[in-house]
Amino acid sequence: MARSPRWGLSGPPQETHRHWAEEQEVIGPGLQAVMLWSRFVVAEAHGAVLSDLDGNEVLDLQGAGGVNSIGHAEPTIVAAMTAQLRTWTAGAFGSQARLDMTRVLRDFLPDGLDRIQLYSGGAEAVEAALRLAKSVTGKYEVLSFWGGFHGKTLGSLAMTAGARKDLGPLPGGFMSAPYANCYRCPFKLRYPGCGFACVDHAREVVKQQSTGALAAIVVEPVQGRSGNVVPPPGYLTALASVADEFDALLIVDEMMTGFGRTGAPFAFQHEGVEPDIVTVGKGMGAGYPVTGVIASAETMDSAPFSDPSASSSSFGAFPMACRAVETTVSVIERDGLVERAERLGKDMLAALAPLAEEAPLVGDVRGAGLAIGIELVEDKESRRPVSTAVVRQAFMALLEAGVLVMTGGNALRLYPPLNIDETQAHEAVDIIRRTLAGLPGPAAGAEQTAGGRL
Ligand SMILES: Cc1ncc(COP(=O)(O)O)c(C=O)c1O
């Protein structure tokens, strides 16, 4: 594969592998597959560029799975976090950082969703959203969707696909229905002729399986782990009306999509639907572990969620977290990054779309803003998902050529920073196109190894 002049891995990864091996003497197993495959060790990170210990540079479109919204080491956040570190770090009393965050969020949060409670992990926020839905409705059942990802704690795991094997029993009260994944429609229908058969089916699942205690429908506006699957317009609105029919809440999990990633401040705003609860995280803190539950004041004022100490957590709303949110949102607004994500995302998607024709492995290319998915299939006719070995082979080929991506099942996922330099974005697209177009289909590639670094 022809290498671009600056990006990519060259030479044996000596220092990197020595470092990785020493870490593994203490670190437990089960890190993300892409980390285990690549054994990449970051020496320095700036914007969308990662340098490893052997002096290689790659374009980071993995972006910590959507966390790296404003670029690594963005100067404004470096300065703000450094100053905050010197001021106060531990405790959730009132602080200048929290007041500053409040002022910024007052403008950024959607109308009618003007209260936030902060946490430090995605699954933790999702669990808090479930507790809030139970508090509001006095009910306890939940409907979620095939292919969804909401975390790995007990309640969130019961809504998460592909991570539950051998971890049963899962808690009761959780039902699931097919997502509006048109590339893999289980009803073999086409939008719009289908009339949202998947939503009708979801309604039927509740009718047949519920004990009459549906508290919430939990849905991602774009399914991240399944490869940034974008449902057709009107899907969230249709689900909102199902939630209404059962007197349940609509929880939109924007962990991956919130804070500009899809070209709107929040992805549900593409539709004008009004969710009751929104969960957020990842891109809102630019790398600092901060997540949140957003709702109206009225929704959040429901006991027991609203009782003293009931919705708090050890690290929730610590000063560093508040400063991270305040600064990240300020940078997103100052630099017009929501609009940029929409425009650049459209350009990148248009440039990558031909892969569905020209690359033997690529079945579908889709996305919203700067959340782009490339689904790998055994053949374009059957659409059978490729094996993990083939995903790994594609991932390693891209890394060696200079682009680090995220994976999810049989898909490659791209999450560049919202402020990625345009030249770098186009270089990344060129590398991805060249590399994937040059990879053989699974049958021809079966004998090939997974890449030279393992
Ligand atoms: C939509 C969504 N919800 C929840 C989570 C869980 O977040 P965490 O891994 O921080 O627990 C994720 C993580 O990727 C996610 O994408």
Side-chain angles (χ1 to χ4, degrees):
M1 191 63 53
R3 280 197 55 209
S4 58
R6 177 173 172 190
W7 316 113
L9 309 181
S10 64
Q14 287 165 346
E15 192 53 30
T16 290
H17 274 191
R18 190 206 53 72
H19 177 118
W20 183 269
E22 187 174 343
E23 283 186 358
Q24 296 309 303
E25 289 169 17
V26 172
I27 299 295
L31 289 176
Q32 279 184 353
V34 292
M35 288 156 197
L36 298 171
W37 295 342
S38 64
R39 301 191 210 169
F40 198 84
V41 177
V42 177
E44 241 181 275
H46 294 283
V49 179
L50 297 180
S51 320
D52 78 1
L53 290 180
D54 294 300
N56 298 302
E57 287 186 309
V58 299
L59 289 162
D60 179 15
L61 270 59
Q62 198 243 3
V67 172
N68 187 29
S69 53
I70 59 171
H72 299 293
E74 195 282 333
T76 315
I77 200 152
V78 171
M81 296 300 271
T82 307
Q84 187 59 49
L85 204 51
R86 291 205 184 92
T87 312
W88 183 44
T89 60
F93 296 103
S95 66
Q96 189 60 46
R98 197 158 80 186
L99 184 61
D100 292 345
M101 178 190 75
T102 302
R103 289 177 174 157
V104 167
L105 286 181
R106 210 179 268 151
D107 290 337
F108 195 85
L109 292 182
D111 288 346
L113 292 168
D114 43 16
R115 289 284 190 278
I116 189 164
Q117 189 62 283
L118 293 185
Y119 300 93
S120 42
E124 188 190 6
V126 169
E127 296 284 355
L130 294 181
R131 292 202 306 279
L132 177 55
K134 290 179 182 181
S135 300
V136 174
T137 62
K139 299 190 283 182
Y140 54 87
E141 289 175 337
V142 177
L143 175 74
S144 62
F145 295 91
W146 298 2
F149 191 95
H150 301 281
K152 297 178 198 149
T153 53
L154 212 51
S156 64
L157 188 63
M159 306 189 290
T160 287
R164 45 175 94 173
K165 188 171 176 307
D166 297 334
L167 294 177
L170 294 171
F174 287 85
M175 297 162 259
S176 68
Y179 191 71
N181 180 347
C182 298
Y183 185 67
R184 300 202 169 277
C185 177
F187 308 103
K188 310 270 183 271
L189 296 171
R190 272 172 188 247
Y191 176 83
C194 64
F196 278 127
C198 53
V199 175
D200 291 339
H201 185 83
R203 181 185 292 105
E204 209 49 37
V205 165
V206 179
K207 277 190 187 156
Q208 297 296 330
Q209 296 183 22
S210 170
T211 63
L214 188 72
I217 296 180
V218 180
V219 65
E220 290 163 89
V222 172
Q223 268 192 345
R225 162 114 188 354
S226 288
N228 292 325
V229 175
V230 184
Y235 179 60
L236 294 182
T237 309
L239 287 181
S241 64
V242 176
D244 275 351
E245 281 171 42
F246 293 98
D247 255 334
L249 306 190
L250 181 68
I251 301 178
V252 176
D253 186 353
E254 295 251 10
M255 205 63 62
M256 187 71 81
T257 49
F259 290 87
R261 172 63 52 190
T262 68
F266 298 90
F268 73 79
Q269 292 172 314
H270 290 298
E271 272 200 32
V273 70
E274 289 181 14
D276 299 287
I277 302 174
V278 179
T279 47
V280 289
K282 299 212 182 228
M284 82 194 264
Y288 194 87
V290 54
T291 62
V293 172
I294 298 172
S296 69
E298 190 192 352
T299 298
M300 230 179 237
D301 197 19
S302 304
F305 189 86
S306 59
D307 288 341
S309 299
S311 64
S312 64
S313 69
S314 289
F315 302 106
F318 269 26
M320 294 294 283
C322 296
R323 186 59 74 203
V325 175
E326 182 257 326
T327 312
T328 305
V329 176
S330 299
V331 170
I332 289 173
E333 299 222 275
R334 180 195 71 195
D335 297 345
L337 297 187
V338 180
E339 298 73 26
R340 197 170 188 278
E342 198 207 359
R343 181 180 53 75
L344 188 56
K346 274 192 181 136
D347 287 356
M348 289 179 72
L349 190 60
L352 289 167
L355 277 172
E357 298 300 321
E358 69 195 22
L361 280 176
V362 175
D364 194 32
V365 182
R366 66 256 173 160
L370 287 172
I372 295 173
I374 301 174
E375 186 157 343
L376 306 183
V377 291
E378 286 193 358
D379 67 82
K380 295 175 201 291
E381 201 59 37
S382 73
R383 300 186 176 183
R384 253 195 315 276
V386 294
S387 65
T388 304
V390 173
V391 176
R392 171 173 162 173
Q393 188 185 4
F395 167 84
M396 286 305 299
L398 288 168
L399 180 61
E400 284 171 8
V403 180
L404 180 65
V405 300
M406 181 73 174
T407 63
N410 63 312
L412 307 173
R413 301 151 66 192
L414 313 181
Y415 302 108
L418 308 185
N419 55 359
I420 184 173
D421 173 88
E422 292 216 18
T423 309
Q424 291 178 356
H426 292 296
E427 281 181 290
V429 163
D430 286 346
I431 294 171
I432 294 169
R433 266 187 84 166
R434 231 182 321 122
T435 306
L436 293 184
L439 286 179
E447 286 95 57
Q448 295 189 8
T449 60
R453 283 171 68 86
L454 284 175

